[in-house]
Amino acid sequence: MSARILSGTVIRDQIYAELAQEIAELKSIGVRPGLAAVLVGDDPASKIYVRSKIAACEQLGLGNVHLTPPANTTTAELLAIVRELNSRDDVDGILVQLPLPPQIEAKKILEAVDPAKDVDGFHPINIGRLVEERPTMVACTPLGVMEILRRSKIPVEGADAVVIGRSNIVGKPMALLLMHADATVTVCHSKTRDLRKFTREADILIAAAGRPALVVPEDVRPGATVIDVGTTRITDPRQAEKIFAHNPERLEKFRKNGSAVVGDVHPDVARVAGALTPVPGGVGPLTIAMLMSNTVKAARLRRGQRTPEAVTSSR
Ligand code: NAD
């Protein structure tokens, strides 16, 4: 048996086609949704993430503002930047790329973003609304996972879902969204005593631990849907040999590049799972697609418009 591969890039393209239509409609009434991305310092991974978010805005014709204050920016200076963006009418969504340098009080910054422009869904008000299952801005990665499940027709209602990871930006909102979609949800984490005991029971297994190839075939119930959120760049050849043992092409590519991006799920899980998202090309593209979707949603809501349910609901 070989798992059905759930391609994030295909689903992203469907979402972009739908968004393009919405954006054209907004344009016809003189509205161009805009996203502001703030990147403090020059962390190489963050630079790549922000660049791809700006590229997505350009592809869809969204307005975009890209601010790059230096690494030694203070909390007060960054607060001033956020407040300015809050007041700008051409900015519908604000994202402050994490992680922030250590001298900046990240919580203060995230709380300063206008909740109506909080397209990352990190503001405590929006998290509270999500807990209460009220309409809100929801974190992009878990929202993207729900889109993968929905558009791939994976039944969620009544399913046993296991989430590995309990972070504020992935694990917790993921568990809430699955619960709201009527799954029975178990959240595992670094202190879980016997991870396999839980993962083997899952109809839907979401891995968001940031531990390369943590989930191996023995951890997965045959036929289960496995969603791999993890993305880690590995450079250790021995680790690569283990992960790509049955994947000579990727091992060859690793040797050529000296590194590879891998997920939390060992690729051999494809032999056991019923459906599996690849890394790269699985959840990653959906995260950016949902950021675009949240920006369009924010633009509509700020102008008192309703939003189409499909890609914007927290359910
Ligand atoms: P995090 O480090 O904040 O949280 C990791 C969580 O995993 C913690 O709750 C921890 O308890 C749990 N964990 C760690 N080791 C574990 C283990 N051995 N067994 C069980 N649980 C364990 O990370 P995060 O921000 O939630 O991100 C998780 C992963 O998802 C990372 O690899 C990150 O790069 C990736 N990510 C990908 C996207 C995307 O768009 N594809 C977006 C966000 C995060």
Side-chain angles (χ1 to χ4, degrees):
M1 194 174 110
S2 188
R4 172 180 158 211
I5 299 299
L6 307 176
S7 166
T9 50
V10 169
I11 297 172
R12 174 203 53 202
D13 291 346
Q14 287 168 6
I15 292 173
Y16 278 8
E18 293 164 15
L19 283 176
Q21 226 171 331
E22 263 195 81
I23 292 163
E25 279 167 28
L26 286 168
K27 204 175 162 191
S28 72
I29 55 164
V31 176
R32 186 186 189 215
L35 176 70
V38 185
L39 171 64
V40 184
D42 40 25
D43 175 67
S46 296
K47 264 188 177 172
I48 295 173
Y49 292 143
V50 171
R51 208 181 302 140
S52 42
K53 290 167 186 177
I54 298 291
C57 286
E58 281 166 358
Q59 186 185 336
L60 285 168
L62 298 183
N64 57 81
V65 180
H66 186 188
L67 301 176
T68 55
N72 63 0
T73 300
T74 63
T75 302
E77 285 165 344
L78 190 53
L79 280 174
I81 291 174
V82 168
R83 288 192 187 119
E84 211 262 320
L85 293 171
N86 282 343
S87 68
R88 275 176 68 163
D89 198 44
D90 61 331
V91 171
D92 295 290
I94 300 170
L95 85 85
V96 181
Q97 185 65 41
L98 301 180
L100 288 166
Q103 78 278 7
I104 293 181
E105 293 168 80
K107 277 193 180 154
K108 265 196 186 167
I109 302 299
L110 297 184
E111 283 184 27
V113 174
D114 178 348
K117 296 189 177 188
D118 172 36
V119 282
D120 267 334
F122 295 163
H123 194 289
I125 285 185
N126 286 329
I127 294 168
R129 286 174 156 268
L130 173 63
V131 172
E132 287 198 350
E133 211 180 344
R134 290 203 266 166
T136 186
M137 290 290 164
V138 180
C140 300
T141 301
L143 203 54
V145 172
M146 296 308 286
E147 283 301 314
I148 294 177
L149 295 174
R150 194 173 69 80
R151 291 172 189 254
S152 308
K153 305 213 169 0
I154 307 288
V156 178
E157 186 185 317
D160 289 337
V162 172
V163 179
I164 310 177
R166 57 177 165 184
S167 71
N168 288 337
I169 63 172
V170 188
K172 280 183 207 164
M174 187 73 255
L176 286 164
L177 289 176
L178 287 164
M179 198 195 301
H180 296 164
D182 297 323
T184 302
V185 184
T186 304
V187 180
C188 298
H189 47 76
S190 53
K191 297 288 190 287
T192 298
R193 261 192 235 128
D194 183 359
L195 188 63
R196 182 170 293 173
K197 182 175 108 188
F198 298 100
T199 59
R200 278 200 62 89
E201 294 298 319
D203 301 311
I204 299 171
L205 176 60
I206 317 271
R211 299 277 177 271
L214 171 71
V215 177
V216 295
E218 294 72 29
D219 296 322
V220 175
R221 197 175 65 74
T225 297
V226 181
I227 307 287
D228 191 354
V229 179
T231 47
T232 309
R233 183 168 290 280
I234 59 162
T235 52
D236 177 356
R238 272 169 309 172
Q239 194 178 22
E241 277 161 25
K242 272 194 196 159
I243 296 175
F244 301 136
H246 301 112
N247 207 326
E249 272 174 29
R250 284 196 73 185
L251 187 57
E252 191 47 43
K253 217 170 155 193
F254 170 88
R255 288 193 175 125
K256 219 172 101 197
N257 297 339
S259 72
V261 172
V262 298
D264 287 355
V265 177
H266 195 290
D268 288 356
V269 165
R271 286 193 269 130
V272 184
L276 174 68
T277 59
V279 174
V283 174
L286 264 294
T287 296
I288 296 185
M290 300 325 288
L291 178 70
M292 299 300 112
S293 167
N294 276 351
T295 303
V296 173
K297 175 179 170 176
R300 278 182 180 279
L301 291 176
R302 283 183 58 231
R303 290 164 183 84
Q305 286 197 357
R306 275 180 58 78
T307 56
E309 278 304 302
V311 290
T312 53
S313 158
S314 76
R315 287 199 65 124

